[in-house]
Amino acid sequence: MDSHPDTRSQDIIDRVAAAGVGLPPWQAVCAVLETLGEVLPYGTAAYLASSLPDEMGAEVGRHFPADSAVSQIDRTEFLAAVARRCDCGLDAAERATRAVTEAIAATVPFAVMVNVEHVTPEPLLDLIGG
C-alpha cells in the first residue's frame, strides 16, 4: 500500500511544472487556488476545496466568499491578484492560471470542474481548464 495515500498533490505539481510557466509550481498552485477561492461562490469554492488534496483545498478556503454572484470580477483584476501572489507579470499569471486549472481538471472529478465553469464569470472562462 502507498505510504502517501493522496498522490494527487504531486500529480498537480508535476503537471504545472511540465507546463513550464516559469514560476515555482507550488507558488503558482497556491496563488491560483487562493484567487479562485475569492471569486467563486461559497458552495462552489467549498466543493472544489473538498475535492482537492487537503493542503491545496486549504488554499481555496482561505477567503471563502459570500454565496452570491461574482460576475463583477474582470479578467485583469483576477490576473493581477494571481500576479501579486506570484510576484510576476500578467502574462505569467495567465500561463500559471491555465496550467493550474488544467492540472486540477485532470485530477478532480469531472463534476467539480463543470460546477466551477458554470459559475465562473464570463471574462475568466477561457482561463479555466476543463
Side-chain angles (χ1 to χ4, degrees):
M1 182 168 186
D2 189 354
S3 61
H4 301 287
D6 196 343
T7 58
R8 296 175 306 151
S9 284
Q10 192 59 52
D11 183 45
I12 291 169
I13 294 297
D14 291 347
R15 287 173 184 271
V16 173
V21 297
L23 299 167
W26 179 250
Q27 182 182 24
V29 168
C30 291
V32 171
L33 289 176
E34 186 174 351
T35 306
L36 278 174
E38 290 176 337
V39 303
L40 294 173
Y42 173 81
T44 303
Y47 186 33
L48 176 60
S50 69
S51 300
L52 290 166
D54 290 346
E55 67 276 12
M56 291 181 180
E59 295 299 322
V60 177
R62 284 180 177 240
H63 308 285
F64 276 149
D67 203 4
S68 61
V70 291
S71 58
Q72 302 83 358
I73 185 98
D74 74 11
R75 181 184 189 83
T76 303
E77 193 177 4
F78 182 90
L79 291 174
V82 173
R84 185 180 69 252
R85 291 180 169 118
C86 285
D87 193 25
C88 68
L90 293 179
D91 287 345
E94 183 170 335
R95 287 190 306 274
T97 301
R98 289 180 199 280
V100 170
T101 60
E102 287 172 9
I104 289 167
T107 307
V108 300
F110 179 73
V112 175
M113 292 310 293
V114 168
N115 191 281
V116 168
E117 289 174 11
H118 180 71
V119 299
T120 296
E122 179 69 33
L124 307 178
L125 271 178
D126 71 303
L127 299 173
I128 305 299

